[in-house]
């Protein structure tokens, strides 16, 4: 079991690190997070969980407005232009031990993440405070770079701040400037194929959304066309196969029907009477809202991923 949000906050207090806590609904993007804390003084962060071809992992934590080109970053690490990939979803649980949308520098507190390399945006050092999720994306904490440094030092991580927008030349007489940040140890996540990441990444944690350079994010769902099994709040498994919409709709209707029927009990009829319909409606809304939002995001990301790949395969030949 990895650290919980409560355990992390308790550790920050033990270290006498000043921070403020802001609770809010679950958010998956920096834009959504900004609606709740954007009016406060400080820098929003976006984080990306990456891996290279040798199964070494990286967390890149950038300011929301920082543009990060993964091809350039890969070269600066000495990995070649295509050396970085999006880490598989399974690695979030196996390595960082956080759920989707919760990539954060604080996840390195877990022993399983001891070999993960952390690259911090040097812009954080100039900010009055910086916003991060404390292992859970229903909360944001604000602290300054000194507080973050103190925490990282307490877990044996030397804070390393990098100009993530720099593009220094790399060649025979100009070695990669970030090569020393490549982890020495690999972490094996069995059965996971490599997937290339777009050269520039968006403001979602852990997922590319568009081809515009808007930086790196820690709140996201990795695009995938694989059939994956998602455990729902009512314990029913659903196959998220984007290639079979009829099956998806059928499963969704069946699941919704099951939820409705599970709420129509003799006890509820006696308790709520004529208001039972309203109670059931609110229950269904609550249980399905989060899943639908997540599914919509996955559809959007998959559509982008497929379009990006198709465009790459069918580029017009130059005359």
């Amino acid at each position: 079991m990895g650290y919980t949000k409560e355990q992390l906050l308790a550790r920050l207090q033990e270290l006498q690190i000043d921070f403020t806590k802001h609770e809010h609904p679950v958010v998956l993007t920096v834009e959504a997070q900004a609606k709740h804390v954007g009016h406060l003084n400080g820098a929003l962060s976006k984080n990306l969980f990456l891996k290279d071809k040798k199964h070494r992992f990286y967390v890149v934590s950038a300011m929301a407005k920082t543009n990060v080109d993964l091809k350039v970053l890969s070269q600066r690490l000495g990995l070649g232009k295509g050396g970085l990939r999006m880490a598989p979803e399974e690695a979030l649980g196996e390595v960082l031990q956080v759920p989707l949308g919760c990539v954060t520098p604080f996840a390195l507190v877990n022993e399983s993440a001891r070999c993960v390399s952390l690259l911090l945006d040097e812009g954080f050092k100039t900010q009055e405070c910086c916003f991060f999720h404390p292992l859970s994306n229903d909360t944001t904490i604000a602290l300054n770079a000194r507080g973050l440094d103190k925490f990282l030092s307490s877990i044996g991580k030397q804070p390393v701040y990098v100009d993530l927008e720099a593009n220094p030349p790399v060649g025979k007489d100009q070695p990669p400037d970030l090569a020393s940040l490549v982890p020495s140890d690999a972490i094996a996540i069995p059965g996971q194929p490599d997937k290339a990441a777009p050269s520039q990444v968006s403001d979602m944690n852990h997922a590319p959304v568009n081809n515009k350079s808007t930086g790196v994010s820690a709140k996201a769902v990795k695009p995938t066309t694989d059939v994956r099994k998602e455990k729902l709040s009512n314990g029913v498994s659903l196959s998220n196969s984007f290639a079979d919409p009829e099956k998806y709709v059928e499963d969704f209707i069946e699941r919704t029907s099951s939820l409705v029927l599970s709420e129509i009990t003799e006890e509820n009829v006696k308790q709520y009477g004529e208001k039972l319909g309203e109670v059931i409606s609110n229950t269904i809304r609550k249980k399905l809202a989060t899943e639908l939002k997540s599914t919509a995001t996955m559809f959007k990301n998959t559509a982008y991923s497929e379009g990006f790949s198709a465009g790459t395969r069918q580029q017009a030949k130059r005359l």
Side-chain angles (χ1 to χ4, degrees):
M1 262 313 267
Y3 262 62
T4 65
K5 174 178 66 176
E6 290 73 23
Q7 290 173 324
L8 173 65
L9 297 179
R11 179 155 188 167
L12 294 178
Q13 292 175 334
E14 291 173 3
L15 293 170
Q16 298 184 340
I17 295 174
D18 292 330
F19 69 91
T20 57
K21 182 177 71 170
H22 308 277
E23 296 182 342
H24 49 69
V26 171
V27 295
L28 293 176
T29 66
V30 175
E31 183 181 21
Q33 183 187 28
K35 294 179 180 179
H36 304 286
V37 297
H39 62 286
L40 304 173
N41 291 327
L44 291 165
S45 68
K46 48 191 177 182
N47 305 266
L48 195 69
F49 189 35
L50 306 171
K51 63 170 288 189
D52 61 27
K53 294 179 180 179
K54 294 185 178 181
H55 302 285
R56 296 170 297 197
F57 291 87
Y58 309 77
V59 168
V60 177
S61 183
M63 290 175 57
K65 296 182 179 179
T66 298
N67 296 324
V68 180
D69 188 318
L70 290 185
K71 286 185 178 180
V72 172
L73 182 60
S74 181
Q75 285 186 301
R76 294 177 65 189
L77 289 165
L79 305 175
K81 287 186 177 181
L84 288 176
R85 301 284 190 274
M86 301 298 295
E89 291 178 16
E90 287 74 8
L92 287 172
E94 294 290 335
V95 181
L96 296 186
Q97 298 196 44
V98 296
L100 288 169
C102 300
V103 179
T104 166
F106 292 111
L108 273 63
V109 69
N110 293 310
E111 179 63 23
S112 55
R114 62 185 176 81
C115 295
V116 176
S117 181
L118 174 64
L119 284 70
L120 297 165
D121 192 333
E122 67 176 11
F124 287 139
K125 295 192 293 183
T126 65
Q127 301 299 310
E128 181 179 341
C129 69
C130 310
F131 296 118
F132 299 96
H133 288 315
L135 307 179
S136 176
N137 56 356
D138 61 357
T139 305
T140 295
I141 61 172
L143 76 170
N144 58 34
R146 294 187 301 277
L148 179 60
D149 291 351
K150 187 174 182 179
F151 167 78
L152 292 173
S153 297
S154 76
I155 61 173
K157 285 286 183 181
Q158 180 65 33
V160 177
Y161 291 88
V162 176
D163 180 357
L164 293 172
E165 292 187 330
N167 187 7
V170 176
K172 181 178 180 181
D173 300 321
Q174 297 167 306
D177 64 316
L178 302 181
S180 62
L181 301 181
V182 175
S184 57
D185 297 325
I187 303 175
I189 304 295
Q192 294 302 317
D194 286 338
K195 290 191 177 183
S199 62
Q200 294 173 330
V201 289
S202 74
D203 69 344
M204 293 191 71
N205 282 352
H206 193 62
V209 176
N210 56 47
N211 216 20
K212 295 180 180 179
S213 175
T214 54
V216 183
S217 163
K219 299 179 236 328
V221 183
K222 185 173 72 64
T224 175
T225 54
D226 295 339
V227 176
R228 300 190 184 278
K229 296 287 185 178
E230 297 286 343
K231 278 293 182 181
L232 307 175
S233 57
N234 64 345
V236 180
S237 293
L238 171 66
S239 177
N240 281 329
S241 175
F242 299 156
D244 190 352
E246 291 184 3
K247 175 62 174 175
Y248 176 82
V249 171
E250 180 182 342
D251 287 342
F252 183 81
I253 292 174
E254 180 180 349
R255 184 173 69 265
T256 304
S257 298
S258 298
L259 281 173
V260 173
L261 293 174
S262 69
E263 294 296 323
I264 304 177
T265 63
E266 183 176 349
E267 181 181 351
N268 284 344
V269 171
K270 291 181 179 180
Q271 181 177 357
Y272 299 110
E274 295 180 355
K275 294 185 177 180
L276 180 59
E278 181 180 351
V279 172
I280 292 177
S281 176
N282 291 335
T283 301
I284 299 301
R285 182 189 299 272
K286 182 178 180 180
K287 289 186 176 181
L288 295 183
T290 301
E291 181 198 340
L292 285 173
K293 290 178 182 178
S294 176
T295 301
T297 300
M298 293 176 72
F299 271 115
K300 180 176 68 173
N301 290 344
T302 302
Y304 164 73
S305 180
E306 291 297 322
F308 181 84
S309 299
T312 301
R313 291 193 300 269
Q314 300 181 21
Q315 288 179 346
K317 294 182 178 181
R318 294 182 179 180
L319 298 177

